[in-house]
Amino acid sequence: MNSQEFLGHSQATEVLVVGGGIVGVCTALYLRRMGVEVTLVEKGSLASGSSHGNAGLLVPSHSIPLAEPAAIRQGLRWMFNPASPFYIKPRLDLDLAAWLWRFWRAATPQRVHAAIPVLRDLHMTSRTLYAELAAQGLDFSFAHRGRLLLCESQQGFADAISEAEEMEEAGIATQQLNPDECVRLLDGLPCQAVGGVFYPDDGHLDPARTVAAIGAAARAEGVQIIENAEVLDWRFEGDRIANVWTTRGQLQPREVVIASGAWTPALTSALGLAVPIQPAKGYSVTVAAPEDAPSVPFMLTEARVGVTPLPGPDGAQRIRFAGTLELAGMDFSINQRRVDALTAAVPRYLPTWNPSDFVVEEVWRGLRPCTPDGLPLLGRTRRWKNLVLAAGHAMIGVSLGAVTGQKAAQIVTGATTEPHDLRLLDPDRFA
Ligand SMILES: Cc1cc2nc3c(=O)[nH]c(=O)nc-3n(C[C@H](O)[C@H](O)[C@H](O)COP(=O)(O)OP(=O)(O)OC[C@H]3O[C@@H](n4cnc5c(N)ncnc54)[C@H](O)[C@@H]3O)c2cc1C
């Protein structure tokens, strides 16, 4: 069936995956490779959600969950300033109030320490899985070159070092660099920094091309991918989902995997599940790469802007600036002030790069699916015996995409998820 066909009145399938972002396509591919018949439905086109224009960073260095004590301290300073990297749109919203309360409760040193090894192991496995996919010939500009945090202030450098010490304790390699070493690492690009912290375990890829390549591989290996098919409603038999209504017809799946990112609460509320995912908007600006652009991704640390080199299949080099986190609901509007803020900080760190010289190729925004404790939801639900949730990956969904797909496939088929301990990711933990 091609992606434009109507499904007909009703079609049976072994596993239905809802959502064609990085998590959905990886789940479909790994399920197929375990011999399962899979149908994936996507309401738009593949990678039309958060998986398109993000920074594409694979980040074992982000093994500290978003809900942590420092985030509360920094967030309180920034939260109502519309020009800051973190912003909460003031409004009366009980779900948001409950989410913030849970975030505050989750941000304790004990909970953070329990989560770090779980995230570290998942990030590491995921990077290995992407390397395997790249070695199998999937072309998505995968590179394992590490990532540099470039710091312009003593305070920023001290904060970066203290986080690096925490990561070292958790077994993530880090290196402190002086300004000359930063310049060398950035292939000679002049920079104004008091120092930097390098994470050699990090990697990067082109996120949209990754979803496209994995989606194409899944299709070629027999996954039925139906785009422009939105899941609208569910029908049940006892404790099982029996029938799924979509805009392109009905499906009768034996198992369902929901991988619908920030849209998940809209789907799960009809299933009677409490899934506290808040959309957190972020922006990216992709420009033609200046001639002296480095091949290593880096972070303008104090400005909270990620900079990723993206070599295209056409040979053209691009640079993507990405950042900001805005809790404003399912709001896709583009705030030009925030877009401008992404590149405004560049000359402070890189004196030879002038934002007015940039040739902009794309301005993008996406909604990160954020849970209050900063950990994804991954596993079976108690309420529905044939439902697996794989959502809520916040700022690390690309990094964890491959491993989430592999684990979701193992959960669906009843295979072991070892050596990973997924108990902290229990999708019922907020029920
Ligand atoms: C600015 C920015 C920078 C980021 N940088 C990074 C980074 O460097 N590294 C990293 O790891 N992560 C990063 N992220 C986070 C990352 O983008 C997300 O965590 C990840 O893309 C989530 O993937 P997903 O598959 O869960 O969701 P999505 O990619 O949003 O996919 C969900 C899909 O489900 C579909 N869908 C929804 N409802 C339905 C329905 N009813 N029926 C059918 N289909 C439906 C949607 O159309 C969508 O395509 C960044 C995010 C932003 C915004």
Side-chain angles (χ1 to χ4, degrees), residues 363-379:
V363 172
W364 174 85
R365 70 356 209 144
L367 301 181
R368 304 174 184 90
C370 294
T371 60
D373 60 4
L375 298 173
L377 305 162
L378 178 56

Side-chain angles (χ1 to χ4, degrees), residues 95 99 102 261-269 272-278 370-372 377 381 389 391-392 427-428 430-431:
D95 287 342
W99 188 94
R102 284 179 157 142
W263 290 264
T264 302
L267 280 169
T268 49
S269 65
L273 299 175
V275 173
I277 288 179
Q278 280 290 323
C370 294
T371 60
L377 305 162
T381 62
L389 288 190
D428 286 321
F430 300 109

Side-chain angles (χ1 to χ4, degrees), residues 19-39:
I22 188 69
V23 174
V25 293
C26 290
T27 302
L29 180 70
Y30 285 111
L31 275 166
R32 187 68 202 125
R33 289 185 172 182
M34 294 175 88
V36 177
E37 186 223 327
V38 186
T39 300

Side-chain angles (χ1 to χ4, degrees), residues 268-325:
T268 49
S269 65
L271 294 167
L273 299 175
V275 173
I277 288 179
Q278 280 290 323
K281 187 160 51 174
Y283 295 93
S284 71
V285 178
T286 306
V287 306
E291 267 181 15
D292 51 357
S295 58
V296 170
F298 56 101
M299 180 93 191
L300 311 179
T301 304
E302 293 82 353
R304 302 288 194 279
V305 174
V307 188
T308 314
L310 295 173
D314 52 2
Q317 302 288 321
R318 296 176 181 86
I319 288 283
R320 178 166 294 160
F321 301 92
T324 81
L325 197 149

